[in-house]
Amino acid sequence: MPANTTSHSWPFYFIIFSILAPVLLAIFIFQLDSFDPAPMPIHELTDPPPEASMKIGRLLQGSEFLGVGQLKAPEDIAYDSESGVIYTTCADGWIKRVAVNDSVSDSVVENWVNTGGRPLGLVLGKDNDVIVADAYKGLLKISRDGEIELLTDEAEGLKFKLTDGVDIAEDGIIYFTDASYKYNFHDHLWDVLEGKPHGRVLSYNPATRITKVLVSDLYFANGLAISPDQDSLIFCETSMRRCRKYYIKGNKKGSLEKFTDLPGMPDNIHYDGHGHFWIALPMEIATFWKAVFKYPFVRKLAGIVLKHKGNIGDTGKNGGVFVVDLEGKLISHYYDPELKLISSSVKIGNHLYCGSITYPYIIRLNLAKYPGLANT
């Protein structure tokens, strides 16, 4: 009489089913999801990326913290040398003023103006005003009395979804970026994962009130700075880990070229008045993010995780600052393995001040004690 194998085989089938079912479900969800990331032109980047000739790899060990607990994610920084005050843009909508003193404990934080949005980039204007790129409101002018004026919030029929970086030329023209005309600040990670160029560089003429699109089809256009000779803009293209140069004057007016590639995703960029741009890097590009940018299907998987979990669980490490000369050569790299999401860096006197989209303070490093610049 044959042995009864039924009672012995069902655990085997149960194990197979328990393995295959999640795989089949994942495949089904992947195929059904409408999110459709595109290939990115990463072949345009320098591989391997360039490295700075000088490094400070323990930025936090020598740093002080300004406004602890009073600054909610101070994203960008502008310094008024006449009053000795830092203006900074915070996640709660406040633009705050921080008095710069030798002692951190003496640095008083003042609530100045709340835009009702999410102010990001800012720059001091020509008439004692402050120009602000607010992610939700658009390009704003705030008088020294705190009155808010909307300058512009659309161009060529497209509303700004993520007004980001800003600078002002000597002739008064305001140059700024709209990181994405599709996704807002809250959903900015979707723009990165989709891998399609929704960013723009624009200009606003206060005299004529005309807004122009100068460069379109950019991969998350972010921080922007005007060159010291006033003939070009240097702007960060975050998703492509690079900075590019756009000429606004001279024989090359209207042309676009590479400025520098970076081993991480750049955010804001500031010129220090002494031949160097300071570029903030929220994080380095680790193995996970390399795969994300190289393979659209990995970005789709990350998008599915983001949709159902609310985050993708990797905010990176080795955040910091690159110092770059006028030709785009990487000179110095300040970073720390524990730093993440550094969004801006400004050199004021002998100190480096760093903003962030996560920390509740501004980071300050004494460059005289912790030098990282060659021949300065």
Side-chain angles (χ1 to χ4, degrees), residues 123-139:
V123 64
L124 301 183
K126 296 293 182 181
D127 299 313
N128 294 322
D129 51 35
V130 178
I131 305 300
V132 178
D134 189 293
Y136 293 108
K137 300 293 185 175
L139 189 68

Side-chain angles (χ1 to χ4, degrees), residues 9 225 363:
S9 60
I363 299 170

Side-chain angles (χ1 to χ4, degrees), residues 79-285:
Y79 178 59
D80 183 353
S81 59
E82 292 186 5
S83 63
V85 168
I86 286 174
Y87 289 78
T88 187
T89 50
C90 298
D92 52 11
W94 280 103
I95 298 172
K96 300 199 177 189
R97 297 195 288 202
V98 185
V100 176
N101 294 294
D102 292 336
S103 173
V104 169
S105 60
D106 293 333
S107 297
V108 178
V109 177
E110 172 196 359
N111 291 342
W112 183 50
V113 173
N114 196 306
T115 67
R118 202 325 177 182
L120 295 176
L122 80 165
V123 64
L124 301 183
K126 296 293 182 181
D127 299 313
N128 294 322
D129 51 35
V130 178
I131 305 300
V132 178
D134 189 293
Y136 293 108
K137 300 293 185 175
L139 189 68
L140 308 176
K141 181 173 80 170
I142 305 178
S143 72
R144 284 302 173 97
D145 296 327
E147 296 182 1
I148 302 174
E149 176 187 351
L150 173 64
L151 299 180
T152 179
D153 63 356
E154 67 176 84
E156 297 183 352
L158 281 176
K159 286 277 189 180
F160 310 151
K161 280 291 188 72
L162 215 170
T163 325
D164 204 330
V166 61
D167 203 358
I168 302 177
E170 291 177 355
D171 61 7
I173 303 297
I174 301 170
Y175 296 92
F176 63 104
T177 60
D178 179 24
S180 176
Y181 60 76
K182 182 175 181 179
Y183 295 97
N184 62 27
F185 180 78
H186 180 266
D187 295 326
H188 73 276
L189 192 53
W190 285 105
D191 192 276
V192 175
L193 294 177
E194 187 172 319
K196 296 176 183 177
H198 302 126
R200 299 180 288 177
V201 170
L202 308 101
S203 67
Y204 175 80
N205 188 328
T208 62
R209 295 184 175 272
I210 293 176
T211 305
K212 293 182 179 180
V213 177
L214 304 179
V215 190
S216 56
D217 298 325
L218 299 172
Y219 293 87
F220 207 91
N222 205 322
L224 176 149
I226 298 172
S227 65
D229 58 11
Q230 300 287 298
D231 74 344
S232 61
L233 314 173
I234 307 298
F235 65 89
C236 300
E237 208 172 359
T238 300
S239 298
M240 280 295 292
R241 295 111 69 193
R242 66 186 177 189
C243 295
R244 302 173 81 181
K245 176 184 284 191
Y246 176 79
Y247 288 89
I248 55 176
K249 292 181 179 178
N251 295 332
K252 292 185 176 181
K253 182 178 179 179
S255 63
L256 185 66
E257 63 185 41
K258 177 188 288 189
F259 182 65
T260 188
D261 293 337
L262 297 160
M265 295 187 286
D267 199 321
N268 281 300
I269 176 171
H270 292 282
Y271 180 64
D272 67 4
H274 300 284
H276 297 97
F277 293 100
W278 294 70
I279 306 172
L281 253 72
M283 62 182 178
E284 70 174 358
I285 295 296

Side-chain angles (χ1 to χ4, degrees), residues 260-331:
T260 188
D261 293 337
L262 297 160
M265 295 187 286
D267 199 321
N268 281 300
I269 176 171
H270 292 282
Y271 180 64
D272 67 4
H274 300 284
H276 297 97
F277 293 100
W278 294 70
I279 306 172
L281 253 72
M283 62 182 178
E284 70 174 358
I285 295 296
T287 302
F288 168 75
W289 283 102
K290 288 179 181 178
V292 164
F293 287 113
K294 186 173 183 179
Y295 302 109
F297 82 88
V298 176
R299 277 184 272 123
K300 181 164 184 172
L301 287 173
I304 293 171
V305 171
L306 178 63
K307 183 182 296 183
H308 295 282
K309 189 180 176 183
N311 64 77
I312 56 178
D314 190 327
T315 54
K317 61 179 183 178
N318 282 332
V321 179
F322 271 99
V323 184
V324 180
D325 70 14
L326 299 181
E327 304 303 317
K329 181 181 178 182
L330 276 57
I331 304 298

